[in-house]
Amino acid sequence: MMGAKRTDDAATTLHSYAARPQQMRFIRAMGQLADNRPFGTASRVYLSAPPAISQSPKWPAWRARIQDGLPDGVKVSTYEDTFAGQEYTWESAMEAFDGLVVVGKQKRAGSRVFILGPVARLELRTMIAKRPVLLYAHDLGLVPVVDCKPDPLPHPYKGTRLKLTVPRCWPRTSDTLTSALAALQPRSETAPQPRDHLLHPFDTSTPVSRP
């Protein structure tokens, strides 16, 4: 019982499912991306959402919040924008994007558990080790996938889905989020001043292995 209690206590104070060394590797990689971004070039982010979500009446508001959570000047594209009238060829299309935001099905209102379908799981797997990959977690805003707990959900016919769990105490001031957003920040000759929503995205009041 004492061991179970310690586990429960740890879960209630967990900031990331990634160990600190893994977080630091992520932060350094994001810093290199930011340093290597050419001046005067806009960043492009692919917004991955299944039809059940992208066709929802709530989708325009969600997309607006996602755009607002990203740095100014970032161009957001969806499946419809990228593959309209064309074959879905992610392996080649992904090279044009500097980052990925995935939108999954929330287990229930207020839950920190989100389910991605097989397509989004593939997109995430091909991008996560190379570029910023963020989960849109509704009230929490954008959460780096590196901080989430991934659990594959195999299905014999529909393909493997992915369950992402956001840590209970994940902070909006996370340095992993700050570094991911900095990696997407378009560079100008004059460095822009930090904006509040980059430090506290979606704040209205004031660690993990590769899946």
Side-chain angles (χ1 to χ4, degrees):
M1 292 299 291
M2 290 299 292
K5 187 178 189 304
R6 284 196 295 270
T7 300
D8 292 343
D9 289 345
T12 60
T13 59
L14 189 66
H15 289 180
S16 175
Y17 284 101
R20 190 57 185 170
Q22 185 178 358
Q23 289 180 297
M24 294 308 299
R25 287 195 297 271
F26 176 83
I27 291 167
R28 286 194 296 270
M30 295 300 102
Q32 290 176 354
L33 289 175
D35 291 342
N36 293 335
R37 181 167 304 290
F39 288 105
T41 60
S43 299
R44 294 188 63 200
V45 168
Y46 185 75
L47 178 52
S48 177
I53 290 177
S54 63
Q55 296 172 10
S56 165
K58 297 180 180 179
W59 178 241
W62 291 352
R63 178 167 178 170
R65 293 193 70 199
I66 291 168
Q67 181 75 69
D68 187 59
L70 295 168
D72 286 344
V74 173
K75 297 181 179 179
V76 174
S77 298
T78 62
Y79 174 90
E80 290 73 17
D81 304 324
T82 307
F83 301 105
Q86 303 178 34
E87 181 183 0
Y88 174 79
T89 51
W90 173 248
E91 292 291 344
S92 57
M94 64 173 281
E95 296 304 323
F97 295 105
D98 301 288
L100 173 69
V101 175
V102 291
V103 184
K105 180 181 179 182
Q106 192 175 26
K107 188 173 181 180
R108 59 180 178 275
S111 173
R112 293 173 179 266
V113 176
F114 299 84
I115 307 298
L116 304 182
V119 172
R121 177 175 178 265
L122 169 66
E123 294 165 350
L124 182 153
R125 285 173 61 87
T126 56
M127 289 278 271
I128 195 166
K130 304 174 183 177
R131 296 160 207 173
V133 179
L134 303 165
L135 168 71
Y136 174 60
H138 297 279
D139 292 342
L140 293 174
L142 298 174
V143 178
V145 170
V146 70
D147 287 325
C148 300
K149 178 184 177 183
D151 291 300
L153 302 174
H155 190 284
Y157 307 114
K158 297 182 179 180
T160 300
R161 298 176 298 159
L162 182 66
K163 180 173 75 172
L164 291 177
T165 304
V166 180
R168 184 177 297 276
C169 292
W170 181 82
R172 292 187 175 97
T173 54
S174 165
D175 49 8
T176 51
L177 176 62
T178 302
S179 64
L181 294 178
L184 295 172
Q185 174 73 57
R187 295 182 70 188
S188 61
E189 294 295 341
T190 303
Q193 295 297 315
R195 295 183 295 131
D196 287 344
H197 89 269
L198 290 183
L199 299 178
H200 305 283
F202 304 101
D203 187 355
T204 58
S205 61
T206 25
V208 66
S209 58
R210 182 178 174 185

